[in-house]
């Protein structure tokens, strides 16, 4: 139908007769002349209809926004003074000669250019319309370009794209499973994969050596702003490669991508241990654009009377840390109160602070509700450790270590952004040397990555003191987001069984759930490892978007529903009967 895209028209086509197809973006009546802005995926072009071509003029008069039209016309220079440098096609226009309406449109549920005022619910309900917006088109195009660049890189480096099942057994990655009832095996259920983890390991056992897949993963977790129940991973696995080699290949893939698509040089990624990241930033994915760091001050407070600090200072599972905000003394009480509320989300019971007004005056020069409890010597020793100067503000966290880390870590991020303290646009790093396990709130232990990650010790050492063991795991972090995570895997059955035992999974249960893996590990499993990148999050960072839903064509809401299709929905009695499922009566509370 078309001779070229509307958005591709340039001065080079001046004088040419063209056929264009697209949507009416806007129609303007300028005293006898009708202007149609016609849009397709490449952009918008202005088409002019004069009254002397009666038939096409009358049709132009009748079209409305979002009608689909076909135009034959002549490309010409725009008259002097009407050139629009903001538009790719701004130097030219098309003189419309013939106009056909290919399809009408009802009045759209919202105007494409004022989506800001439209709620996300309405945008998602009418996603086909929302996706017409040039901004959404650009994001999904970048997404396609990134997938394609990644495929090219991995293909060129000898990786094979191999699909793995969607209907499968549980793969523990720390979330709840989505389960699918089986009709043919009454009372049995498939689980949707939380990741292709075990299949990619089996592919290594089969000798494929290098695998990748742009894989859909499903996790039924309590949704936070940047999570989706189904999301896409760039899933990678390789054999006979150690941690450094795996990190080198994948770092090259990401730096190449940023150089190619955004002209950004990410440089060589620094490495930081998990322990360091937690101590200095209170986070396992620190945003290194932010110059502030947490500093331990518990030792200075061990002997004071004030239990709020002395308690945690003398408890091995707790921490007292300070966060110095340069120039923060100017923050208002109101803002400090807001920050206090903010840290309470992370379980902090308060937010102590000191404003450094006149350090030379000693404790007198410190404005704070807590200095009187600390005493001059302790207060000044803290100031000295922090290198505080007049005009600074110091926040304190004193509680269980995980609460202090989460609360001050999040506060550090928030204050850094609020006070515009970020020092650069991009700050990548690798976080390495992760603990193998962590304690759960109910006193058990759980794997920090997943139970197939190789511990950095023998099975005997691991079982003797599981919480002391580190794993050979690595996360790639960019601007405070986890871009990807992976590890060297366990390739010996003995070690895998030890990990299961540490997790309280009996040998019988391990056999029942993971017998296929344990069996495969018996038959010459090579040393292997890999990693997976979150594609959605990668695109979110690359497009400077703050919601993952903005870079997914058809995302779910925060309650894991789809307003467009109304999924999830009920099923018929017949379907349930076939599956041998009876629903419980809804119990109203
Ligand atoms: N399967 C892991 C995940 O989904 C990634 C990996 O270890 O390769 O987080």
């Amino acid at each position: 139908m078309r001779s070229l895209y509307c958005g591709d028209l340039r001065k080079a086509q001046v004088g040419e007769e063209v056929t264009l197809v697209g949507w009416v973006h806007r129609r303007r009546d300028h005293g006898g002349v009708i202007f149609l802005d016609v849009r397709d995926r490449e952009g918008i072009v202005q088409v002019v209809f004069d009254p002397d071509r009666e038939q096409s003029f009358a049709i132009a008069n009748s079209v409305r926004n979002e009608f689909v039209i076909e135009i034959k016309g002549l490309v010409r220079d725009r008259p002097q003074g009407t050139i629009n440098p903001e538009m790719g096609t701004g130097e030219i226009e098309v003189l419309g000669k013939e106009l056909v309406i290919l399809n009408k449109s009802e009045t759209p549920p919202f105007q494409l250019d004022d989506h800001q005022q439209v709620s996300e619910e309405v945008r998602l309900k009418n996603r086909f319309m929302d996706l017409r917006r040039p901004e959404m088109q650009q994001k999904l195009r970048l997404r396609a370009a990134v997938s394609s660049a990644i495929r090219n890189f991995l293909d060129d480096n000898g990786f094979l794209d191999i699909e793995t099942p969607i209907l499968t057994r549980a793969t523990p990655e720390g979330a709840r499973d989505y389960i699918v009832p089986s009709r043919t095996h009454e009372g049995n259920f498939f689980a949707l994969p939380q990741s292709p983890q075990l299949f990619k390991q089996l592919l290594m056992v089969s000798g494929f050596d290098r695998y990748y897949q742009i894989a859909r993963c499903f996790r039924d977790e309590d949704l936070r702003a940047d999570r989706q129940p189904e999301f896409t991973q760039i899933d990678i696995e390789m054999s006979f490669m150690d941690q450094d080699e795996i990190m080198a290949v994948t770092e090259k893939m990401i730096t190449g991508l940023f150089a190619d698509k955004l002209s950004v040089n990410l440089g060589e990624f620094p490495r930081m241990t998990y322990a360091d990241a937690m101590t200095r930033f209170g986070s396992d994915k620190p945003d290194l654009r932010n110059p502030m760091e947490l500093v331990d001050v518990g030792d200075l407070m061990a002997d004071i009377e004030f239990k709020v600090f002395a308690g945690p200072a003398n408890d091995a599972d707790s921490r007292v840390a300070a966060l110095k905000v340069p120039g923060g003394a100017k923050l208002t009480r109101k803002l400090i109160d807001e920050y206090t509320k903010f840290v309470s989300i992370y379980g902090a019971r308060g937010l102590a602070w000191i404003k450094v007004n006149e350090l030379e005056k000693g404790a007198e020069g410190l404005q704070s509700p807590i200095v009187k409890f600390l005493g001059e010597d302790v207060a000044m020793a803290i100031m000295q450790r922090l290198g505080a100067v007049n005009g600074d503000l110091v926040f304190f966290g004193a509680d269980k270590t995980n609460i202090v880390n989460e609360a001050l870590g999040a506060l550090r991020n928030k204050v850094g952004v609020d006070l515009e303290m970020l020092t650069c646009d991009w700050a990548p790093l690798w976080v390495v040397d992760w603990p193998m396990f962590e304690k759960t709130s109910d006193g058990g232990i759980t794997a920090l990555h997943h139970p197939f990650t190789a511990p950095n010790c023998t099975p005997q050492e691991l079982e003797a003191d599981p919480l002391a063991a580190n794993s050979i795991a690595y996360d790639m972090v960019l601007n405070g987001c986890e871009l990807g995570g992976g590890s060297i895997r366990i390739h010996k059955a003995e070690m895998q069984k030890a990990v299961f035992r540490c997790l309280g999974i009996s040998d019988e249960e391990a056999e029942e759930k993971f017998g296929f893996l344990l069996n495969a590990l018996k038959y010459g499993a090579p040393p292997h490892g890999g990693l997976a990148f979150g594609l959605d999050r990668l695109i979110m960072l690359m497009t400077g978007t703050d919601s993952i839903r903005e870079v997914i064509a058809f995302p779910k809401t925060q309650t894991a529903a789809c307003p467009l299709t109304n999924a999830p929905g009920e099923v018929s009695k017949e379907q349930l009967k076939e599956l041998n499922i009876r629903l419980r009566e809804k119990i109203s509370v």
Side-chain angles (χ1 to χ4, degrees):
M1 264 182 186
R2 64 159 72 86
S3 42
L4 76 180
Y5 283 113
C6 300
D8 283 345
L9 285 172
R10 292 290 180 274
K11 243 176 144 20
Q13 281 84 41
V14 168
E16 276 178 30
E17 297 278 347
V18 291
T19 304
L20 304 176
V21 286
W23 287 261
V24 176
H25 191 66
R26 211 142 45 106
R27 175 183 157 282
R28 281 165 289 139
D29 191 337
H30 274 208
V33 183
I34 292 171
F35 289 94
L36 299 183
D37 285 344
V38 186
R39 188 191 70 239
D40 62 20
R41 81 167 204 205
E42 299 301 321
I44 292 174
V45 71
Q46 172 170 297
V47 186
V48 191
F49 291 90
D50 289 329
D52 46 357
R53 276 193 191 78
E54 257 174 51
Q55 201 192 358
S56 57
F57 185 82
I59 301 172
N61 209 7
S62 73
V63 303
R64 293 294 175 264
N65 281 4
E66 302 308 315
F67 275 33
V68 188
I69 56 175
E70 179 181 346
I71 296 155
K72 290 195 195 316
L74 175 73
V75 185
R76 67 182 188 191
D77 282 314
R78 285 205 190 187
Q80 278 291 321
T82 61
I83 287 173
N84 180 355
E86 307 282 301
M87 289 173 83
T89 60
E91 286 185 298
I92 53 100
E93 62 185 12
V94 175
L95 175 64
K97 296 187 173 170
E98 285 170 40
L99 175 59
V100 179
I101 295 174
L102 299 177
N103 208 349
K104 292 183 178 179
S105 167
E106 291 184 13
T107 307
F110 51 86
Q111 289 303 318
L112 295 194
D113 33 16
D114 45 60
H115 69 282
Q116 283 343 5
Q117 281 92 50
V118 180
S119 71
E120 194 181 26
E121 180 81 16
V122 173
R123 284 179 57 204
L124 290 181
K125 193 167 173 46
N126 300 280
R127 192 61 157 180
F128 51 91
M129 194 55 93
D130 190 41
L131 291 178
R132 284 186 191 170
R133 294 192 296 112
E135 198 190 325
M136 296 306 289
Q137 298 248 325
Q138 268 157 24
K139 286 180 187 151
L140 293 186
R141 289 179 72 153
L142 179 78
R143 186 179 173 119
V146 167
S147 299
S148 149
I150 282 172
R151 284 184 190 286
N152 288 340
F153 176 90
L154 292 169
D155 292 343
D156 291 349
N157 282 278
F159 288 82
L160 304 177
D161 177 2
I162 303 177
E163 288 170 276
T164 55
I166 294 293
L167 295 175
T168 178
R169 285 202 74 134
T171 343
E173 294 277 1
R176 272 184 221 102
D177 288 318
Y178 274 98
I179 56 174
V180 180
S182 158
R183 182 182 56 79
T184 44
H185 298 271
E186 200 181 293
N188 286 313
F189 294 82
F190 294 103
L192 302 183
Q194 291 190 32
S195 83
Q197 185 61 36
L198 295 178
F199 289 107
K200 68 175 171 175
Q201 290 190 227
L202 295 181
L203 290 170
M204 294 304 104
V205 180
S206 306
F208 285 101
D209 198 61
R210 291 182 170 210
Y211 141 98
Y212 81 94
Q213 183 181 190
I214 300 200
R216 197 64 67 85
C217 303
F218 305 85
R219 297 183 190 178
D220 185 3
E221 34 198 355
D222 300 321
L223 299 174
R224 287 192 247 131
D226 61 345
R227 297 279 172 96
Q228 281 282 307
E230 55 178 306
F231 61 95
T232 308
Q233 276 190 352
I234 305 157
D235 196 46
I236 300 174
E237 197 75 5
M238 40 200 129
S239 297
F240 306 108
M241 301 269 273
D242 63 22
Q243 161 168 322
D244 286 341
E245 290 168 312
I246 293 175
M247 286 162 75
V249 178
T250 49
E251 183 174 319
K252 194 166 157 209
M253 179 177 94
I254 295 295
T255 45
L257 192 65
F258 273 71
D260 186 30
K261 299 289 169 235
L262 301 182
S263 307
V264 164
N265 177 4
L266 289 179
E268 201 176 311
F269 297 7
R271 287 187 190 191
M272 186 180 295
T273 64
Y274 171 86
D276 249 9
M278 296 308 282
T279 308
R280 293 172 54 196
F281 306 102
S283 167
D284 56 16
K285 38 181 185 300
D287 186 348
L288 296 188
R289 295 170 305 166
N290 181 331
M292 293 186 287
E293 294 197 17
L294 310 192
V295 176
D296 277 310
V297 290
D299 57 318
L300 301 174
M301 301 194 180
D303 298 327
I304 63 173
E305 296 272 299
F306 192 37
K307 287 279 164 289
V308 172
F309 287 123
N314 288 297
D315 172 25
D317 287 336
S318 297
R319 176 175 192 197
V320 183
L323 179 72
K324 181 183 76 178
V325 182
K330 61 175 187 288
L331 296 189
T332 59
R333 251 330 263 275
K334 187 164 166 268
L335 198 53
I336 294 180
D337 287 347
E338 274 173 32
Y339 289 145
T340 309
K341 224 185 198 168
F342 174 76
V343 293
S344 73
I345 305 170
Y346 302 92
R349 283 168 290 181
L351 182 63
W353 52 271
I354 297 178
K355 278 188 183 179
V356 187
N357 293 338
E358 290 172 274
L359 203 55
E360 53 290 356
K361 286 195 183 162
E364 284 272 285
L366 302 178
Q367 180 192 343
S368 162
I370 58 158
V371 168
K372 57 177 180 289
F373 300 115
L374 299 177
E376 170 130 17
D377 289 352
V378 171
M380 294 313 281
I382 295 171
M383 293 302 119
Q384 201 184 5
R385 179 168 297 171
L386 298 176
V389 296
N390 290 347
D392 289 349
L393 170 75
V394 181
F395 286 121
F396 293 89
D399 214 312
K400 292 285 172 213
T401 303
N402 60 338
I403 294 183
V404 171
N405 286 345
E406 279 195 35
L408 286 191
L411 183 67
R412 171 181 174 272
N413 287 341
K414 185 160 174 57
V415 173
V417 171
D418 287 355
L419 301 192
E420 298 180 356
M421 292 169 71
L422 305 189
T423 55
C424 55
D425 291 334
W426 300 103
L429 79 148
W430 285 105
V431 176
V432 295
D433 294 345
W434 291 68
M436 180 68 198
F437 301 112
E438 64 180 345
K439 278 193 199 154
T440 54
S441 48
D442 57 9
I445 63 170
T446 180
L448 222 69
H449 265 84
H450 48 59
F452 317 107
T453 298
N456 207 355
C457 58
T458 64
Q460 293 72 25
E461 286 164 342
L462 183 77
E463 289 197 81
D465 190 355
L467 284 167
N470 265 358
S471 63
I472 316 175
Y474 33 80
D475 268 14
M476 187 189 283
V477 175
L478 182 61
N479 294 358
C481 284
E482 180 199 328
L483 211 53
S487 57
I488 297 298
R489 323 300 185 186
I490 297 167
H491 69 286
K492 295 196 172 156
E494 185 201 359
M495 176 64 100
Q496 190 62 71
K497 285 184 191 162
V499 168
F500 287 146
R501 279 194 297 271
C502 291
L503 290 169
I505 302 174
S506 67
D507 285 354
E508 298 75 63
E509 192 183 346
E511 200 51 53
E512 199 266 316
K513 286 186 173 152
F514 304 111
F516 64 99
L517 173 71
L518 293 170
N519 196 29
L521 295 182
K522 288 191 234 157
Y523 295 98
H528 62 285
L531 141 165
F533 291 97
L535 179 64
D536 312 290
R537 209 169 293 163
L538 175 65
I539 305 298
M540 189 174 112
L541 283 170
M542 292 181 84
T543 54
T545 314
D546 51 16
S547 158
I548 212 165
R549 299 184 295 279
E550 291 293 296
V551 297
I552 297 174
F554 300 104
K556 307 274 188 295
T557 61
Q558 268 160 309
T559 56
C562 171
L564 175 77
T565 60
N566 281 332
E570 294 182 353
V571 297
S572 69
K573 285 213 173 67
E574 289 68 40
Q575 278 173 303
L576 286 177
K577 208 167 157 200
E578 262 180 349
L579 295 167
N580 209 19
I581 289 179
R582 180 151 10 105
L583 294 183
R584 267 205 318 219
E585 289 293 315
K586 279 197 188 115
I587 304 163
S588 49
V589 199

